[in-house]
Structures are given as C-alpha cells and as structure tokens.
Amino acid sequence: MISIRPLATKDFPQVVTFAIEGMHFDRYFQNPLALRAFGYYFVEHEYANATQALGAYEDGRLVGVLFASETAAPKPHATWPRRLLVASYQRLMHVFAGQGTPAYDAANADMLAAFTAKKAADGEISLLATDPMLQGRGIGSQLLAAFARTAKGKRYFLYTDSDCVYQFYDHRGFIREQTRQIELTLGAKQFPLTCMLYSQIF
C-alpha cells in the first residue's frame, strides 16, 4: 500500500535518481559526475523553492515525489545554507554545460509570460517523478490526488518537454497552454527539444 506524506530529506539521493531517469538527463551528460551533479542541482533548486514536498512511500521506501510552490506562500526550505548549496551546484553546471541551459530557461520564461498574460496562476508544480521501475502503478496519479486536496480551486502550471512523459498530463485533464521549439547546446552537441507549459485548476 502506498502512503503519501512529507518527503524525508534522507531520501534526496533517490529523488535525484528518479529525476535523472525520468527526465532523461543522461541524454545530455555523458560524464557520470556531471550527470549526478546536475541531478542534485535540479532537485535542491526545486526543493528550496517548494512550499510542498510530498513523497509517496511503499513499505517505507520512496517510490515517487511531488514538489509544488504556491506563489503567495512562504518557502520553508529556502534556508541560506540550501541557497548557498544551490549556487555552488549552479557554478559547477556552468563548467559542464556551458551556455546550453539558458535557452531552456528563456523558453520557459517566454511561455510563462504569454500564459500569465491571459490567465492567473496560483503556483507551480515543479517536480513530479516516480520510480521508473514502477511505472503504470498509478503513483503519479496518487501524488496528484493528494496534492489536489490542498490546492482545491487553485490553478497550477508546470513545465515539461518532449524528453519527458508529457502524455501523462494530457491524460489527466491538464491543458497544454504553450509550446516552444529550442535547440539545447551542451558542449559541442545540440539537442532539438519541444518545451511545453501545462496548467490545471484542481
């Protein structure tokens, strides 16, 4: 049986693994150190900005995670040591990734500006990831259901892209609000990517 409860920080290594595998970060980073560092940067950054961090547990083992940030709510995890850690990871990423990731960030910022010009958003779902070995068990849906009980009547948006399982959101009533085509440049390689912004009122 799966239970949903606040994420324990001791489970961060597993969250990083879920993010790396679920979002296919290994497509961009061949160096194992760079891959793991980027995974930790991503997870620590999103956790620092989260107002909710939910874990799905089965027999005490983490099997899924959801981070969300409500715009008007305080960020309890945004301590100065964590922000310092995120900044350190960010500097390391510039060494490995060069100027590649700003194209992704710029596309997301452009989509958000176009979206919020038409609709108001109460917050963002910044991470939804599950154990890749347990896909099809409904873990992501259970995390969303638990989150929905605290976000009733509020509109949340999320970013995803063509390297992720974006169809999950199509099948669960999310609206694809915006798309952008980019080329992500990492080192000497270029990766075409479709960036997407979805939203839903819970």
Side-chain angles (χ1 to χ4, degrees), residues 23-167:
M23 298 178 177
H24 302 290
F25 291 156
D26 56 346
R27 182 185 179 206
Y28 310 116
F29 297 97
Q30 304 304 311
N31 182 315
L33 176 61
L35 177 62
R36 201 71 185 170
F38 183 79
Y40 269 99
Y41 162 68
F42 177 82
V43 170
E44 288 283 358
H45 179 271
E46 300 306 341
Y47 185 73
N49 287 295
T51 55
Q52 284 197 64
L54 301 177
Y57 289 87
E58 185 175 45
D59 298 326
R61 183 174 72 92
L62 184 72
V63 295
V65 62
L66 183 150
F67 292 171
S69 175
E70 185 174 343
T71 304
K75 295 179 170 57
H77 315 298
T79 61
W80 72 262
R82 175 155 279 112
R83 291 196 176 279
L84 185 62
L85 179 63
V86 170
S88 299
Y89 277 122
Q90 192 170 32
R91 285 192 294 271
L92 184 61
M93 285 304 94
H94 282 302
V95 174
F96 288 119
Q99 295 301 311
T101 53
Y104 192 91
D105 296 337
N108 285 346
D110 188 52
M111 289 192 297
L112 182 60
F115 167 63
T116 54
K118 297 178 180 179
K119 299 178 181 179
D122 297 292
E124 175 189 1
I125 296 173
S126 56
L127 175 62
L128 177 58
T130 63
D131 186 337
M133 301 299 293
L134 300 177
Q135 286 186 355
R137 291 270 309 275
I139 298 168
S141 296
Q142 291 182 61
L143 280 162
L144 280 175
F147 172 69
R149 289 193 285 273
T150 67
K152 191 172 182 180
K154 296 178 181 179
R155 185 193 301 275
Y156 275 73
F157 72 91
L158 61 87
Y159 301 115
T160 187
D161 59 61
S162 51
D163 268 356
C164 300
V165 189
Y166 61 88
Q167 297 91 341

Side-chain angles (χ1 to χ4, degrees), residues 128 136 138 140-141 144 158 160 164-176 196 198-200 202:
L128 177 58
S141 296
L144 280 175
L158 61 87
T160 187
C164 300
V165 189
Y166 61 88
Q167 297 91 341
F168 173 88
Y169 302 109
D170 291 324
H171 297 152
R172 282 156 185 80
F174 283 76
I175 299 170
R176 192 184 305 184
M196 294 165 256
Y198 282 81
S199 82
Q200 185 179 74
F202 288 92

